[in-house]
Amino acid sequence: MLALAGQRRDLGDGFVVSRVLPDVKRRTVGPFVFFDYFGPVEFAPGRGIDVRPHPHIGLATVTYLFEGTQMHRDSLGSVQKIAPGDVNWMTAGRFIVHSERTDDEARATGHRLHGIQSWIGLPSKDEEAEPSFQHVGAAHLPRKSENGVDLRVVTGNAYGLVSPVRVFSDIFYVDAKFAAGSSLPLTVEHNERAVFVVEGTLDINDVPAPHGTMVTFEADERVNLSAKAPARAMLLGGAPLDGERHLWWNFVSSSRERMERAKEKWRGQPRGHIAGDDEFIPLPENR
């Protein structure tokens, strides 16, 4: 059992992001190669998030919110507002460009934002897949209750439930809400597993794990999760990737040469990928 605290960064306007994966002690959990936890943060009227258009290759992004909304746009023409409990899964594959911004209504009135964006490494055979985008509303995600724990399967399969989100490899990602006095054994059907505490404190094999902590486990380790008071956690993991992955900026690939080609593509044509949004994040030349 290994606990990861995450590295906190203030991006301005009080918007703090905790980068939990990759970590020097644990780079990946199953196919999860990147895990950013943000908020909760209160934005005043007129304020919000503006992640300008930027590219990805070799991965899928998964956005999941607990509070607030965001507007997703991409170079496929997708325009999708995401609300708490929904899933936005974007497959970058060979190349995609997207932006994430606060929608006009939320920006005008002010709002709270709280959620997670994670990156899923694609199997080597799918790294050059056609880019695509999926949105699945909260009402369409499978749910069940076990011993006082409300479970919603975001992606993959766990606890006898299967998410409708199309995935590329063995994965599970579960939103678990614990009532006071509830307990739950962590699924053992996946090779690599972790728990991230979103709210409150979770006892993991009777060891307290506070809000903002990720705990990872050995493949054969038996894990019991319990809560003395209401708590919430994301349960995640799956099969490890089929080989080493290189991460640079927004790119994930098994090939360094492929990363270099992605850099040149973005350096040479950064504008006009998203209709109505000519802004872009330049390639970081000093990295």
Side-chain angles (χ1 to χ4, degrees):
M1 192 164 72
L2 174 67
L4 308 176
Q7 299 296 314
R8 292 169 62 84
R9 297 186 302 161
D10 190 334
L11 302 184
D13 285 337
F15 184 55
V16 176
V17 171
S18 176
R19 181 150 300 166
V20 183
L21 295 175
D23 185 273
V24 293
K25 294 181 290 185
R26 180 75 185 251
R27 294 194 60 79
T28 62
V29 177
F32 288 80
V33 299
F34 180 96
F35 192 97
D36 258 9
Y37 172 63
F38 50 87
V41 60
E42 188 87 35
F43 286 105
R47 300 287 188 176
I49 289 179
D50 285 293
V51 181
R52 295 168 292 159
H54 59 281
H56 290 287
I57 64 166
L59 57 84
T61 65
V62 183
T63 304
Y64 190 75
L65 300 180
F66 308 109
E67 295 181 85
T69 59
Q70 284 186 6
M71 185 66 72
H72 166 96
R73 291 181 174 86
D74 63 41
S75 50
L76 302 174
S78 311
V79 179
Q80 180 62 60
K81 183 177 179 178
I82 183 172
D86 298 346
V87 183
N88 274 5
W89 173 292
M90 184 187 75
T91 301
R94 57 182 174 79
F95 193 81
I96 200 169
V97 178
H98 79 129
S99 65
E100 302 287 343
R101 299 183 185 268
T102 299
D103 58 277
D104 293 341
E105 181 181 1
R107 193 185 299 270
T109 60
H111 69 296
R112 282 172 60 87
L113 186 65
H114 184 198
I116 297 169
Q117 185 176 85
S118 52
W119 294 358
I120 309 301
L122 298 177
S124 56
K125 66 180 179 63
D126 297 309
E127 286 184 294
E128 297 296 318
E130 286 294 314
S132 61
F133 177 76
Q134 303 174 74
H135 173 85
V136 178
H140 299 289
L141 296 177
R143 295 179 63 177
K144 69 187 298 186
S145 181
E146 285 198 11
N147 194 31
V149 183
D150 181 66
L151 301 170
R152 175 187 280 131
V153 177
V154 177
T155 64
N157 63 284
Y159 299 101
L161 303 176
V162 180
S163 167
V165 177
R166 184 174 68 91
V167 297
F168 291 81
S169 60
D170 176 58
I171 186 175
F172 77 103
Y173 197 24
V174 179
D175 183 354
K177 295 180 180 179
F178 290 76
S182 62
S183 64
L184 179 79
L186 182 61
T187 177
V188 295
E189 60 192 307
H190 300 276
N191 185 265
E192 296 190 355
R193 299 163 298 150
V195 172
F196 180 77
V197 183
V198 175
E199 296 173 1
T201 296
L202 204 59
D203 289 334
I204 301 177
N205 288 347
D206 297 322
V207 177
H211 163 249
T213 302
M214 178 178 283
V215 181
T216 68
F217 310 98
E218 299 296 328
D220 58 353
E221 191 172 357
R222 295 285 171 170
V223 180
N224 186 66
L225 311 174
S226 61
K228 296 181 177 68
R232 189 173 190 175
M234 299 301 290
L235 321 180
L236 62 135
L241 289 165
D242 56 346
E244 183 184 6
R245 292 297 185 275
H246 307 291
L247 278 73
W248 186 88
W249 193 40
N250 299 312
F251 304 141
V252 173
S253 180
S254 58
S255 164
R256 291 192 184 276
E257 187 275 335
R258 180 67 182 89
M259 304 269 271
E260 291 302 315
R261 286 191 283 124
K263 292 181 191 179
E264 287 305 311
K265 181 170 184 175
W266 190 244
R267 182 182 289 119
Q269 48 163 338
R271 291 185 180 273
H273 284 276
I274 299 176
D277 193 340
D278 283 336
E279 291 191 304
F280 66 96
I281 300 177
L283 192 75
E285 300 290 356
N286 62 343
R287 293 182 63 176

